Amino acid sequence: MKLAVATRNPGKLREIEPIFRHTPIRLVSLADLGVEPKPEEERLEGEVSFARNALAKAQYFHDRTGLPMMGEDSGIVVDALNGEPGPRSKRYAPPEMQEEYGVDRANNLFLLRRLRDIPDGERSARFYCAVAIVLDDGSRLFSGRVDGVILREPRGEGGFGYDPLFYLPERGVTTAQLSVAEKNEVSHRGRAMRAARDWLLEILADETPGGPNQ
Ligand code: ITT
């Protein structure tokens, strides 16, 4: 089965690919398919919920390609900021800052600035991930989360986005200090993707003549 992935974020693709390795599901990216970026894609993401955004991305690219499509929306939710930046995680820092420092670095600097006066015991946060699968005959949503704490300065070179600030107390590292495999074990994306993968594998088993479900 061919499953297209409705993301233009290479960091996400790097983490999603190993989860589908050694399965009959073959992932293809928008780049593999030659699906050119269009300005209207920017409007797929609102500020209401991760699930809505994931579904909007999957449905939009399913309509454009006709392929089984997986959309993913994720971000960071910070308790001391009443859930900010949430679904706005990618566009959190003002555009001038993003232009000057690059998107990820600007967002990290901006988050640190917003949390400057928040004491150590009150910096809890979580990454959240919604995954939508859109097939010809319907769609399904999955989600995952991982809880952590926002540090006062970045640590680690791996991952992407807010990873260098996201500390996992039980492991004593940030998610930027984990390998892709280690991050996938605990992360919001790993959890949501494994649930989506297992659901697709059930469908495939069901459809295979003489397969385990027949
Ligand atoms: P697509 O919409 O093309 O998939 P995107 O980068 O626009 O890619 P999102 O709208 O879902 O993706 O924004 C997610 C942002 O949330 C991302 O830019 C990061 O800043 C942050 N984020 C999500 N998952 C993360 C992770 O595992 N580690 C660090 N930051 C993460």
Side-chain angles (χ1 to χ4, degrees), residues 127-131 142-146 187-193:
F127 277 128
Y128 192 85
C129 172
V131 173
F142 304 87
S143 65
R145 62 182 266 187
V146 55
S187 79
H188 53 318
R189 184 167 299 101
R191 292 173 201 275
M193 287 292 161

Side-chain angles (χ1 to χ4, degrees), residues 74-125:
S74 47
I76 195 164
V77 168
V78 180
D79 293 319
L81 301 174
N82 294 318
E84 258 185 47
R88 285 180 51 232
S89 292
K90 188 178 170 201
R91 299 171 300 262
Y92 193 37
E96 320 79 74
M97 252 181 104
Q98 298 209 351
E99 224 154 84
E100 184 172 352
Y101 297 103
V103 175
D104 285 350
R105 183 142 176 262
N107 284 333
N108 281 323
L109 286 170
F110 192 69
L111 179 61
L112 285 179
R113 199 183 287 172
R114 299 274 291 138
L115 288 176
R116 195 163 32 207
D117 299 328
I118 305 295
D120 285 350
E122 296 170 27
R123 298 170 73 92
S124 57

